[in-house]
Amino acid sequence: MRTGEQSIAAFCDQLAAATPAPGGGAAAAVAGAMGASLVSMVGGLTRGREKFQAVEEEMAAAQEAGRREADALLTLADEDQAAFNQVMAAFALPKSTPEEKAERQRTVQAAYQEATRTPLETMRHCLAVMRHALAVVEKGNQNAVSDGCVGFLLADAAFEGALWNVAINLGSIKDGAFLQEVLGEVARMRREREEVQQAFRGLAPDPVTRFLKQQ
Amino acid sequence: MRTGEQSIAAFCDQLAAATPAPGGGAAAAVAGAMGASLVSMVGGLTRGREKFQAVEEEMAAAQEAGRREADALLTLADEDQAAFNQVMAAFALPKSTPEEKAERQRTVQAAYQEATRTPLETMRHCLAVMRHALAVVEKGNQNAVSDGCVGFLLADAAFEGALWNVAINLGSIKDGAFLQEVLGEVARMRREREEVQQAFRGLAPDPVTRFLKQQ
């Protein structure tokens, strides 16, 4: 059954089970999908109001991107589990002859690469969600600002969760060129995330002070 | 339908809809429940192994607490939506006579207090999840360390998301004693969270460096 089709309670039960999949990679992707959905919500609660005419286009983009990113992230939750199963299947291949050993080694390496690419893709989508979250928090309907903030926070945690799932594979990957490519992409995305985080902290520094001041 | 019974995709669709509920409060609680479930998973993957005999009791506690906290957080996701609906219902009360106005005012205030208590309770449960996550990341099966880390990160984001949902009500609450009690509790929990975050950063400073070093 696809992750999106499972009930929330059943998915939690499967996470809680003492089996390696589904695990943190899938949970991070689902959290990112919820964050994306909240961005969509705030975009939708902003659009079509005269007061927000100047940002109509940006809010429409956030609303649409939120739904698209949520779908992509739920698919990545499935792919994360599939990639883990591929690694397990590769390790189960026979290794009696030198040919079998070489074939198994190739399959294991290909599976590790796929298990790295999947959370890397989750990181990319979470970064996109964070950017749109920033837009709705800054320019969207302020009655829903807390929803935009939760959207940002969930995408941010999912980014870091996915990063852990990229990282756990790095020690097993033998292809130096692939490894360097991944490390470069990770470094680039972490810099971008740092910028987006700083912008968020500037916009939404402290919830308690913000709302007490409104009294 | 209870939040836990909904499919993940349907819940995301409801979040994404341009209606105020369900929103960030419920999404934060669900993220916390996923974090709690991951803590349970790592506890379970650690228990009953000779190598981890010394921490058997602590891992059993984490495994059990994770399931209990996940249940509590899914219930809080329901309560968050119910509390929002109460606020809306209170505002819809008649206000033609002074008596009706006074009654409406009392009901609105009671509803705001309940809408504040619910995410405050979510914060408490997320803090408990973070403490158990710290234990499994530090002392649990290191093959599942990334799952424990994602558990921590999701509970941490859910804590802050719930804080936003406490904060949005603060400007509307007239009862000074209640307000002071909430502010005290928030300040206490934020200090505790800061300590737990620091401990986490000490244990799990950088995923990339950690796993590359293992090569």
Side-chain angles (χ1 to χ4, degrees):
Chain A
M1 196 191 274
R2 295 193 60 180
T3 306
E5 291 167 7
Q6 288 184 295
S7 80
I8 291 172
F11 183 65
C12 283
D13 272 349
Q14 286 191 25
L15 289 175
T19 50
V30 170
M34 291 195 298
S37 302
L38 287 167
V39 168
S40 216
M41 166 187 172
V42 185
L45 287 171
T46 306
R47 292 186 62 190
R49 294 169 191 238
E50 206 174 343
K51 192 178 158 194
F52 295 105
Q53 231 168 8
V55 293
E56 173 68 22
E57 217 169 296
E58 205 170 346
M59 294 299 117
Q63 185 182 29
E64 198 213 309
R67 289 206 178 259
R68 196 177 56 230
E69 296 297 347
D71 283 348
L73 284 158
L74 290 185
T75 300
L76 282 160
D78 292 329
E79 289 175 4
D80 189 86
Q81 295 169 67
F84 176 83
N85 292 336
Q86 292 277 24
V87 173
M88 292 295 103
F91 275 111
L93 288 175
K95 48 176 178 175
S96 312
T97 66
E99 290 74 24
E100 281 181 353
K101 275 185 194 163
E103 176 57 22
R104 178 174 178 274
Q105 169 78 342
R106 268 192 300 275
T107 314
V108 164
Q109 283 299 311
Y112 271 129
Q113 291 196 9
E114 189 54 30
T116 307
R117 266 187 223 109
T118 305
L120 202 62
E121 190 65 19
T122 299
M123 289 171 67
R124 263 182 222 118
H125 286 280
C126 288
L127 207 47
V129 174
M130 289 166 75
R131 278 196 220 95
H132 287 290
L134 208 58
V136 300
V137 166
E138 182 176 18
K139 300 170 194 167
N141 187 335
Q142 292 301 299
N143 292 331
V145 68
S146 67
D147 302 297
C149 288
V150 178
F152 184 94
L153 294 164
L154 293 184
D156 182 58
F159 177 100
E160 183 142 356
L163 172 60
W164 275 94
N165 282 274
V166 169
I168 45 168
N169 297 305
L170 297 180
S172 309
I173 287 170
K174 312 275 186 221
D175 178 339
F178 178 82
L179 198 58
Q180 286 313 312
E181 198 190 311
V182 170
L183 289 174
E185 178 72 357
V186 163
R188 192 190 59 71
M189 283 199 278
R190 290 178 96 176
R191 279 194 301 273
E192 265 194 61
R193 178 208 189 193
E194 189 62 46
E195 281 168 34
V196 183
Q197 277 181 328
Q198 273 183 25
F200 179 73
R201 280 191 290 262
L203 280 180
D206 181 61
V208 172
T209 324
R210 178 187 190 119
F211 289 100
L212 275 181
K213 265 195 284 189
Q214 290 184 352
Q215 275 192 303
Chain B
M1 194 191 276
R2 295 195 60 180
T3 306
E5 291 167 6
Q6 289 183 296
S7 80
I8 291 172
F11 183 66
C12 283
D13 273 348
Q14 287 192 24
L15 289 176
T19 51
V30 170
M34 292 196 297
S37 302
L38 288 167
V39 168
S40 216
M41 167 186 172
V42 186
L45 287 171
T46 307
R47 291 186 64 191
R49 293 170 192 235
E50 208 173 340
K51 192 178 157 194
F52 294 104
Q53 232 169 6
V55 294
E56 173 67 21
E57 218 168 295
E58 204 170 346
M59 293 300 117
Q63 186 182 28
E64 200 213 310
R67 288 207 178 259
R68 198 177 54 231
E69 297 298 348
D71 283 347
L73 284 158
L74 290 186
T75 301
L76 282 160
D78 293 329
E79 289 175 5
D80 190 86
Q81 294 169 66
F84 176 83
N85 291 335
Q86 291 277 23
V87 173
M88 291 296 102
F91 274 112
L93 287 175
K95 48 176 179 176
S96 312
T97 67
E99 290 74 26
E100 281 180 354
K101 275 186 191 161
E103 177 55 24
R104 178 173 178 274
Q105 169 79 339
R106 269 192 300 274
T107 312
V108 164
Q109 283 298 310
Y112 270 129
Q113 290 196 11
E114 190 53 31
T116 307
R117 269 188 219 105
T118 305
L120 202 63
E121 190 66 19
T122 300
M123 289 171 68
R124 266 183 219 114
H125 286 280
C126 288
L127 206 48
V129 174
M130 288 166 76
R131 280 197 217 93
H132 287 292
L134 207 58
V136 301
V137 166
E138 183 177 17
K139 301 168 191 168
N141 188 333
Q142 293 300 300
N143 292 332
V145 70
S146 66
D147 302 297
C149 288
V150 178
F152 184 94
L153 295 164
L154 293 184
D156 183 58
F159 177 100
E160 184 142 354
L163 172 60
W164 275 95
N165 282 273
V166 168
I168 43 168
N169 297 305
L170 295 179
S172 309
I173 288 170
K174 311 275 186 221
D175 179 340
F178 178 81
L179 197 59
Q180 287 312 312
E181 198 190 311
V182 170
L183 289 174
E185 179 72 358
V186 163
R188 192 190 61 68
M189 285 200 279
R190 290 178 97 176
R191 281 194 300 274
E192 266 193 61
R193 179 208 188 193
E194 189 62 45
E195 282 170 33
V196 182
Q197 277 181 329
Q198 272 183 26
F200 179 74
R201 280 192 288 261
L203 280 178
D206 180 63
V208 173
T209 325
R210 178 186 189 123
F211 290 99
L212 276 181
K213 265 197 283 189
Q214 289 183 354
Q215 275 193 304

